[in-house]
């Protein structure tokens, strides 16, 4: 069914023990959402300096860039190397799907600007609105023009790369999704997350004093009442990555 295609997850975060135990790490979370029969999925722990060899890059049909605890506007050695890789993937017209940090670093690599979100942390299930052009782009998928997605970020895309197009926005974040040509797509939210993963992350943020206990309690109470549109996001992400739009 998958036609023997080969994809790679570019892992930009350290897996927590909990996510490793419950989901097989964030690689496992993405494979659960995106993989189809007959495909090969590899992982490169780019945050640890592990990158695909130059001569094997053309063998891949697509790449997924994950979230990260690092800032996309930082200049760590691996971040600079990732930017160089993304420029190469652009030149090869490879499919690239960037999620959260991946969305931000993809924008930066293509000439956009990222930084701390003026409105602060966005944690929870957020409603995002598809633009009229993206509604046409995704028309074959028959998905709603407003979608709920799990978010957990305090940085954002502040300025789009030249030739990129905003295709979704929310009340809090102006660039929730963008596309660059037909081969690169950035999503600020986490379509791959479960509410269980987000609850775990809220606890970790609290432990590291990134957020206060009162705010964590509010976030957890809100999560009981809402659900992300996981199936619609799965359809959108797989259709883009596999060239079915």
């Amino acid at each position: 069914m998958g036609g023997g295609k080969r994809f790679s997850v570019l892992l930009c975060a350290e897996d927590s023990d909990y996510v490793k135990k419950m989901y097989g790490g964030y690689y496992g979370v993405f494979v659960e959402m995106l993989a189809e029969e007959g495909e090969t999925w590899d992982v490169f722990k780019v945050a640890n300096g592990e990158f695909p060899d130059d001569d094997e890059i053309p063998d891949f049909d697509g790449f997924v860039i994950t979230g990260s605890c690092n800032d996309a506007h930082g200049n760590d050695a691996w971040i600079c190397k990732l930017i160089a890789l993304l420029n190469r993937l652009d030149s090869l017209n490879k499919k690239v799907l960037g999620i959260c940090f991946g969305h931000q670093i993809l924008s930066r690599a293509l000439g956009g600007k990222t930084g701390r979100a003026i409105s602060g942390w966005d944690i929870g299930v957020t409603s995002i609105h598809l633009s009229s052009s993206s509604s046409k782009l995704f028309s074959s998928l028959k998905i709603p023009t407003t979608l709920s997605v799990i978010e957990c970020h305090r940085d954002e895309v502040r300025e789009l790369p030249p030739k990129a197009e905003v295709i979704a926005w929310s009340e809090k974040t102006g660039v929730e999704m963008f596309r660059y040509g037909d081969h690169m797509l950035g999503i600020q939210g986490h379509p791959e997350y479960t509410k269980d993963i987000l609850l775990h992350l809220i606890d970790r943020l609290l432990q590291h004093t990134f957020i206060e206990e009162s705010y964590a309690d509010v976030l957890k109470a809100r999560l009981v009442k809402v659900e992300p549109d996981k199936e619609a996001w799965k359809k959108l992400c797989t259709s883009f990555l596999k060239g079915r739009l």
Side-chain angles (χ1 to χ4, degrees), residues 20-225:
K20 272 194 277 196
K21 179 183 175 184
M22 299 300 293
Y23 299 94
Y26 287 113
Y27 166 74
V29 175
F30 275 103
V31 167
E32 173 67 25
M33 178 175 76
L34 298 171
E36 295 175 328
E37 188 179 333
E39 295 171 350
T40 300
W41 280 79
D42 296 336
V43 60
F44 294 96
K45 297 178 181 178
V46 295
N48 292 339
E50 186 184 298
F51 284 79
D53 293 332
D54 286 347
D55 59 356
E56 68 178 323
I57 289 171
D59 297 337
F60 287 96
D61 294 283
F63 295 79
V64 180
I65 323 164
T66 73
S68 179
C69 294
N70 290 74
D71 298 323
H73 51 271
N75 289 308
D76 308 58
W78 72 269
I79 289 177
C80 295
K81 190 170 181 180
L82 178 58
I83 287 170
L85 171 60
L86 295 176
N87 282 314
R88 170 126 193 253
L89 298 181
D90 178 33
S91 70
L92 293 172
N93 220 41
K94 291 292 183 183
K95 290 279 186 183
V96 179
L97 174 64
I99 302 296
C100 197
F101 168 90
H103 159 87
Q104 297 158 13
I105 201 70
L106 185 57
S107 170
R108 179 183 172 186
L110 297 169
K113 293 180 181 175
T114 69
R116 285 281 185 266
I118 296 164
S119 57
W121 280 100
D122 188 1
I123 305 172
V125 178
T126 298
S127 291
I128 74 159
H129 310 281
L130 300 183
S131 67
S132 55
S133 62
S134 67
S135 295
K136 292 173 187 171
L137 176 67
F138 302 132
S139 61
S140 63
L141 305 181
K142 295 181 170 55
I143 58 176
T145 54
T146 299
L147 290 171
S148 294
V149 68
I150 290 174
E151 306 250 13
C152 187
H153 65 99
R154 63 171 175 172
D155 293 345
E156 65 183 357
V157 172
R158 289 187 173 176
E159 190 177 308
L160 274 182
K163 301 179 186 175
E165 176 191 6
V166 177
I167 58 173
W169 57 275
S170 70
E171 301 298 335
K172 197 162 186 174
T173 304
V175 185
E176 285 284 0
M177 290 175 65
F178 77 89
R179 71 167 175 149
Y180 184 87
D182 293 326
H183 61 298
M184 294 188 157
L185 180 69
I187 301 175
Q188 179 58 71
H190 283 279
E192 81 284 11
Y193 275 7
T194 61
K195 288 203 294 185
D196 174 63
I197 289 175
L198 182 57
L199 286 167
H200 166 67
L201 283 174
I202 290 170
D203 285 338
R204 289 187 75 194
L205 290 170
L206 182 59
Q207 286 167 10
H208 290 90
T209 65
F210 284 118
I211 59 175
E212 295 181 0
E213 190 167 355
S214 57
Y215 183 40
D217 290 341
V218 169
L219 292 172
K220 290 178 180 180
R222 284 181 190 160
L223 270 183
V224 175
K225 304 170 186 174

